[in-house]
Structures are given as structure tokens and as C-alpha cells.
Amino acid sequence: MGWDTRRVLPPDNHVHSEWSYDTFGRTSMVAACQRAADLGLPAIAFTEHLDFADYGEGDAIAGTGITPGWWDAMRPLAVDGYLASIEECRHRFRSLRILTGVEAGEPHLFAGSVRAVLAVGRFDRVLGSLHALAWEGRMVNSSRLLRLLPPAEAMRRYLAEVVKVIEGSDVFEVLAHLDYPRRQWPGTAGAFAESDFEEEYRAVLRALARSGRVLEINTFSPVWPVTLLRWWRQEGGTAVSFGSDAHVPGRVADKFPEAVAVAEAAGFSRGREPTDFWRC
Ligand SMILES: [Zn+2]
Ligand SMILES: [Zn+2]
């Protein structure tokens, strides 16, 4: 019963389970694996949140006077329980490749804390992401910044900070949701157009390509126009990863056919192994 390789979707390299503090009982690793198996996905990666409400040794934020912790729901990742759960699912879903992972938030500010977690186990997929920015002495969710500042200014600040994330951290391999605040783009600001921020997007893509890393196509965010992936290639990018950022089982691999069509139109294609990133 071989795969029809032309029709198999890419791996979902960005999924959250009950081990992420912000899923609030709405999902489970077992249910997400079942969904992935039903869809015929070759692989699924559980990239649980690694956000820090406090700083530890080796964290750059310690010297800044900025108060960490932008959401009181934040909890540390229970690594042992998480890894045991992965093992259990690998036994239960033998035809599915189940990858470990984390989504390290603001890794340029929490290098020491991130490394301490990564040292405990083997993590196949390490995503780097920016959710929060410093504002008046404390970290705030970037979507809040869209209401505190003119939205275009908030977006520019965000993209400029993503460059610092890339240049200030080498712990991650894949840059997650590079334009995260656009999910909350206010209707009053008019339609969001990537072309309004071309220079800022290109600066991020250039820094990412220069460091040899992978760009995530995040389908929790609106699917990008092909133009953005062309910018990625023009700036030297060679690889993309697909991530649903699902926090409920029903969203695993959500909108992947659309995302695949955009990636293919930009010249990216699947690798030899089903778990490979797509390359051009
Ligand atoms: Zn995220
Ligand atoms: Zn996520």
C-alpha cells in the first residue's frame, strides 16, 4: 500500500498538543496524531511553546531592565511528560513519523533558558518565533502593539525585531510565522498588503537566508501571495517548512493544499524523504 507521492501533503512541522500551556484542554497529542493519520500526512512535529515568564542564567533580557512574561497563562514545558507522550504516540501510530520539537519564543532574549531545555532531550524541530516586543519597560504581545501604535508602525517595529531574533540567536532552524501580527491586522487600517512592507520583509528574508535557515509557511496566518516566496528566493532562501500552528486537532495541516500550491508556484518542491523540507 505505497504512497502516491505526488499527492501526499508535506509534514506538518508546527503543531501544539496538551503540553503547550495555551491549548487549555482543547487538544491532545493522540487526537492530533489520529487527524494526521486520517489525512495521510507523512509526519507531524509537536513543537510545544517555550516561553519564559522569568529570566535565567545566560538570558540577554536580564540586563535590559525589561519585565518578561506577557501572558499570565505561561507555564514551563514539562519535558519528561512531553517526551513520554511522544513515545506512546510513536507506538500507537506506526505509519506516522512523529517528530519532537519546540517553538522558542523571543530566543534572542532567552538563549540560556532555551539551551537548558534543549539539553534535556532530542528535539527534531526547533522553531524560533517572535510574539512579544518590549513596550514601556515590559514585554507585550505584538498584536496589542497594533492598537497602541499606528498599525503600519507596529508592523515595521515587529519586522525589525525579527531581524534581531535571527541575528541574535542560533538555537533555531526554522523561523515561524514571520509576520505574526498581521493575523490581528485591524480592518480599520485597510487591507493588509505585503508590498507596503517589502523592504522590511526583504531585510528579514535576507538575514534568514544568510544564516542558512528555513522559512515557515504558517497556515494559521493568511496564506502568502507567491510574491513573498519569490522575495525569499531572490534574497537567497532555499528551503521552506509547512506549519499549521494547530492548537486543536481539526486544524492539523489546515490549508496545506493552498500553501503547497503557492510554494510550487514559487519553484519549491518536495525532497527525497517525506520528512524533508521543501527546496528550490
Ligand atoms: Zn507562535
Ligand atoms: Zn505555534
Side-chain angles (χ1 to χ4, degrees), residues 14 49 103 129 131 177 180 245:
H14 187 161
H49 284 295
E103 177 183 1
S129 71
H131 300 111
H177 53 58
Y180 172 75
D245 212 349

Side-chain angles (χ1 to χ4, degrees), residues 3-22:
W3 294 107
D4 178 346
T5 49
R6 285 160 306 167
R7 305 190 68 177
V8 171
L9 291 170
D12 192 337
N13 280 321
H14 187 161
V15 175
H16 297 276
S17 77
E18 70 269 35
W19 299 98
S20 283
Y21 66 82
D22 66 344

Side-chain angles (χ1 to χ4, degrees), residues 55 61-67 137-138:
Y55 47 75
I61 193 171
T64 62
I66 298 162
T67 308
R138 55 172 311 133

Side-chain angles (χ1 to χ4, degrees), residues 110-179:
F110 296 96
S113 294
V114 173
R115 284 190 192 287
V117 173
L118 296 183
V120 177
R122 184 202 145 110
F123 294 92
D124 303 308
R125 293 277 175 265
V126 179
L127 315 182
S129 71
L130 181 69
H131 300 111
L133 277 81
W135 174 258
E136 294 182 344
R138 55 172 311 133
M139 298 301 285
V140 301
N141 191 305
S142 56
S143 58
R144 253 193 76 202
L145 219 57
L146 286 173
R147 299 189 297 273
L148 295 166
L149 289 169
E153 193 188 329
M155 198 68 205
R156 290 202 167 85
R157 274 196 198 206
Y158 177 88
L159 292 169
E161 188 71 16
V162 176
V163 174
K164 293 186 190 165
V165 171
I166 297 163
E167 290 176 346
S169 173
D170 59 5
V171 296
F172 65 93
E173 181 181 25
V174 179
L175 177 67
H177 53 58
L178 90 74
D179 49 10

